[in-house]
């Protein structure tokens, strides 16, 4: 008798935890990358260093979870596979953060919400997977929504800023493609090596930290980043919170999948993305036209229908599709 109220409380807790973590994550991400700092109004352009800090904290967080809550197990996944997966994972995160220097946050969130498109396309091409007709219809609805959101009618005078597809959108497209490759690699790990989500999170972030650490040292960006934080120490607090909300958000997504399944998790993450866009419009004053709002509704309608009707039947042992996302992304993915 007590299980129903406890399940409801747990669901409410998971919803609020994912929502708060990734909503605040999005606000911090936009604040870090689009704010002006100091009297000279400097911009934060150190996307690789930001992702490096995020990967280090993600790895530490995953290691703590494994040490505290998991039993010792044999690691079967080859390290080279983690290394390859971390490259696409890294590229997706750096491209996504860099895109915010050229597009506003609602555009970035909506673009990253289109992850089912490259995952499906690359799944067909590389993984030779088959999807139900409902999946293709949902993706078509998402594509239509993106087209409406990105469409900018010609005005009387041409402006350098009146572009339909600029460098920021190219970075988002690259991020989506790399997200798709990451998804294919992670699916391969789960199917062939039964890789646990926390082990995956730990190893991918360790390899990403290694690669990115070498990169920022070789290019010298790390020293420019440290000089920037010395000039503007207040940003360190934002970066730390940004990384912590990312790691916490991933763990709460995992908890939601374990207790309520990927469908409930998809609904929660899709809902929070919509409200993240709304929050960005209200807090940062990013303008959204009525046509873009219509496109946004189409995209999230497609995502919701895809969560309900577009899933390919799977065995119960492989029921963790939504666990890893740096767009979590994400994100996300973001959640």
């Amino acid at each position: 008798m007590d299980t129903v109220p406890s399940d409801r409380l747990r669901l409410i807790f998971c919803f609020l935890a994912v929502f708060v973590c990734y909503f605040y994550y999005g606000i911090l991400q936009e604040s870090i990358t689009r704010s002006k700092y100091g009297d000279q109004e400097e911009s934060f352009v150190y996307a690789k260093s930001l992702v490096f800090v995020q990967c280090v904290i993600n790895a530490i967080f995953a290691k703590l979870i494994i040490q505290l809550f998991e039993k010792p197990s044999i690691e079967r996944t080859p390290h080279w596979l983690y290394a390859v997966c971390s490259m696409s994972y890294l590229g997706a995160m750096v491209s996504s953060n860099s895109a915010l220097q050229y597009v506003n946050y609602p555009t970035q969130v909506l673009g990253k919400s289109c992850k089912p498109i490259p995952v499906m396309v690359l799944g067909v091409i590389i993984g030779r997977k088959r999807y139900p007709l409902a999946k293709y219809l949902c993706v078509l609805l998402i594509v239509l929504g993106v087209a409406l959101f990105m469409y900018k009618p010609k005005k009387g005078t041409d402006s350098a800023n009146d572009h339909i597809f600029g460098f920021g959108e190219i970075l988002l497209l690259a991020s989506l493609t790399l997200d798709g490759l990451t998804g294919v690699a992670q699916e391969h790990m789960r199917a062939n090596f039964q890789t646990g989500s926390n082990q995956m999170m730990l190893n991918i972030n360790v390899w990403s930290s290694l690669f990115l650490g070498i990169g920022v040292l070789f290019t010298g960006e790390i020293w420019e980043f440290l000089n920037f934080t010395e000039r503007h120490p207040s940003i360190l607090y934002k970066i730390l919170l940004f990384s912590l909300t990312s790691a916490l958000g991933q763990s709460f997504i995992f908890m939601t999948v374990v207790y309520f399944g990927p469908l409930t998790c998809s609904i929660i993450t899709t809902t929070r993305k919509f409200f993240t866009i709304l929050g960005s419009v209200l807090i940062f004053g990013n303008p959204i036209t009525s046509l873009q709002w219509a496109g946004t509704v189409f995209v999230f309608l497609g995502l919701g229908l895809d969560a309900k009707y577009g899933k390919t039947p799977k065995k119960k042992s492989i029921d963790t599709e939504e666990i890893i996302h740096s767009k979590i992304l994400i994100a996300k993915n973001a959640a």
Side-chain angles (χ1 to χ4, degrees):
M1 292 293 290
D2 294 333
T3 57
V4 174
S6 63
D7 283 347
R8 287 177 181 172
L9 288 174
R10 185 181 284 123
L11 178 60
I12 292 171
F13 172 76
C14 288
F15 173 81
L16 291 175
V18 171
F19 187 91
V20 170
C21 284
Y22 279 111
F23 184 85
Y24 197 35
Y25 169 90
I27 299 302
L28 287 166
Q29 186 180 38
E30 185 165 14
S31 176
I32 291 168
T33 56
R34 295 183 69 84
S35 295
K36 300 296 182 183
Y37 299 90
D39 296 334
Q40 297 181 350
E41 294 191 339
E42 293 183 83
S43 297
F44 183 87
V45 294
Y46 311 106
K48 292 188 289 294
S49 297
L50 180 63
V51 174
F52 173 70
V53 175
Q54 187 178 355
C55 289
V56 170
I57 291 180
N58 280 347
I60 294 172
F61 194 84
K63 182 66 175 177
L64 287 174
I65 291 178
I66 292 170
Q67 290 290 107
L68 295 174
F69 301 108
E70 290 191 3
K71 296 179 180 178
S73 59
I74 300 173
E75 178 60 69
R76 298 184 179 88
T77 310
H79 288 289
W80 67 264
L81 191 55
Y82 284 128
V84 171
C85 186
S86 70
M87 292 180 185
S88 59
Y89 170 79
L90 261 184
M93 292 177 70
V94 172
S95 299
S96 177
N97 283 327
S98 299
L100 282 172
Q101 298 173 32
Y102 305 95
V103 299
N104 59 26
Y105 192 68
T107 302
Q108 192 244 32
V109 173
L110 194 82
K112 293 290 286 182
S113 298
C114 301
K115 187 179 177 181
I117 299 174
V119 170
M120 187 184 74
V121 171
L122 292 170
V124 170
I125 296 173
I126 299 176
R128 301 186 181 279
K129 297 180 68 175
R130 294 183 178 181
Y131 296 95
L133 178 61
K135 181 81 170 180
Y136 292 96
L137 294 176
C138 291
V139 167
L140 183 63
L141 194 59
I142 294 171
V143 171
L144 176 62
V146 172
L148 285 174
F149 189 91
M150 300 301 297
Y151 175 70
K152 297 176 183 177
K154 293 288 184 181
K155 297 181 180 179
T157 58
D158 291 333
S159 171
N161 294 324
D162 287 340
H163 61 271
I164 294 177
F165 206 81
F167 188 60
E169 287 82 0
I170 291 172
L171 286 172
L172 285 177
L173 182 61
S175 180
L176 275 175
T177 304
L178 291 167
D179 266 338
L181 289 172
T182 304
V184 171
Q186 290 172 343
E187 191 67 32
H188 178 75
M189 290 181 197
R190 286 193 291 265
N192 294 280
F193 303 102
Q194 292 76 49
T195 310
S197 59
N198 290 318
Q199 285 289 345
M200 194 182 295
M201 180 179 173
L202 171 63
N203 286 282
I204 289 176
N205 280 287
V206 166
W207 279 100
S208 297
S209 300
L210 177 63
F211 288 143
L212 209 49
I214 294 171
V216 293
L217 280 172
F218 182 77
T219 61
E221 182 184 304
I222 188 66
W223 311 119
E224 296 175 15
F225 168 74
L226 291 174
N227 287 333
F228 186 90
T229 58
E230 188 177 352
R231 292 193 301 274
H232 312 289
S234 62
I235 198 175
L236 287 172
Y237 177 69
K238 292 181 181 179
I239 291 173
L240 180 61
L241 282 179
F242 170 75
S243 302
L244 286 174
T245 52
S246 170
L248 281 170
Q250 287 189 28
S251 66
F252 287 128
I253 282 179
F254 171 66
M255 183 186 297
T256 305
V257 171
V258 168
Y259 286 110
F260 304 103
L263 173 58
T264 301
C265 187
S266 296
I267 294 171
I268 291 174
T269 54
T270 300
T271 304
R272 80 89 191 161
K273 287 175 184 176
F274 183 84
F275 282 99
T276 299
I277 290 179
L278 183 61
S280 178
V281 171
L282 295 175
I283 295 171
F284 294 98
N286 290 310
I288 299 290
T289 66
S290 56
L291 190 63
Q292 287 178 316
W293 275 122
T296 302
V297 171
F298 273 119
V299 167
F300 287 107
L301 179 62
L303 289 170
L305 292 174
D306 176 53
K308 179 67 176 176
Y309 301 108
K311 301 297 182 185
T312 304
K314 293 183 179 182
K315 294 180 181 179
K316 189 174 181 181
S317 61
I318 312 175
D319 194 30
T320 54
E321 184 174 352
E322 283 282 343
I323 291 175
I324 299 294
H325 166 31
S326 159
K327 293 154 157 142
I328 64 147
L329 207 149
I330 39 203
K332 238 323 18 186
N333 290 230

